[in-house]
Amino acid sequence: MTIFKEKLSEDYLTTAEAKELLAEVERDRALDETREMPYNLSRAIEHVNRFAALDAEESRELVSELLELEKVDEPTAFKITDLLPKDRDELRAIYAQQRFALSGDELDEILNVVAKYE
């Protein structure tokens, strides 16, 4: 017998937004001395602290600006926001799995939006 789980909803988060949520969890656990921090939770907190380059509000603004562009869909906007590519090659790597290739002008347009937030 196979048991299927239904996906009720799916929300994308930037690394900066995840950092805020995990900081709340970390504070709650720090207040309760009897609760230990599981290894995977401490690694997740360490990861977001290391790689979140923007704050949550800035990252959400960048996602919004990227979504206004024609060739940027929602998952790609969040990936670009998390990685903050600096040149065309880094941006092409993000689009490597897509069924289309971006022109130089389209790549530059995306990079110009990202450059505002660095």
Side-chain angles (χ1 to χ4, degrees):
M1 174 191 269
T2 305
I3 299 173
F4 294 98
K5 293 185 178 183
E6 180 182 355
K7 186 186 296 187
L8 299 176
S9 68
E10 180 176 76
D11 294 325
Y12 291 100
L13 290 175
T14 63
T15 304
E17 292 170 321
K19 180 180 178 178
E20 277 190 355
L21 293 174
L22 288 173
E24 289 176 26
V25 171
E26 187 177 27
R27 275 193 300 274
D28 291 345
R29 290 201 177 242
L31 294 175
D32 186 1
E33 295 176 9
T34 61
R35 294 175 72 183
E36 288 186 31
M37 180 114 42
Y39 175 75
N40 57 349
L41 179 59
S42 63
R43 294 290 296 168
I45 291 169
E46 180 182 323
H47 177 84
V48 296
N49 286 335
R50 180 179 293 165
F51 293 109
L54 304 173
D55 65 21
E57 186 176 315
E58 284 179 321
S59 67
R60 189 49 80 167
E61 289 173 13
L62 177 54
V63 167
S64 297
E65 281 192 48
L66 290 170
L67 287 174
E68 292 174 6
L69 302 176
E70 183 180 340
K71 295 283 185 166
V72 182
D73 60 357
E74 188 176 19
T76 307
F78 280 88
K79 193 177 294 186
I80 291 170
T81 300
D82 286 341
L83 297 176
L84 296 173
K86 293 180 182 8
D87 58 34
R88 287 182 176 186
D89 290 335
E90 290 178 2
L91 189 55
R92 279 192 190 106
I94 294 171
Y95 276 94
Q97 297 296 318
Q98 301 290 338
R99 295 179 184 209
F100 55 87
L102 297 177
S103 69
D105 291 338
E106 292 168 328
L107 291 169
D108 289 339
E109 185 179 12
I110 294 169
L111 289 171
N112 289 337
V113 172
V114 172
K116 292 184 216 174
Y117 290 90
E118 291 180 337

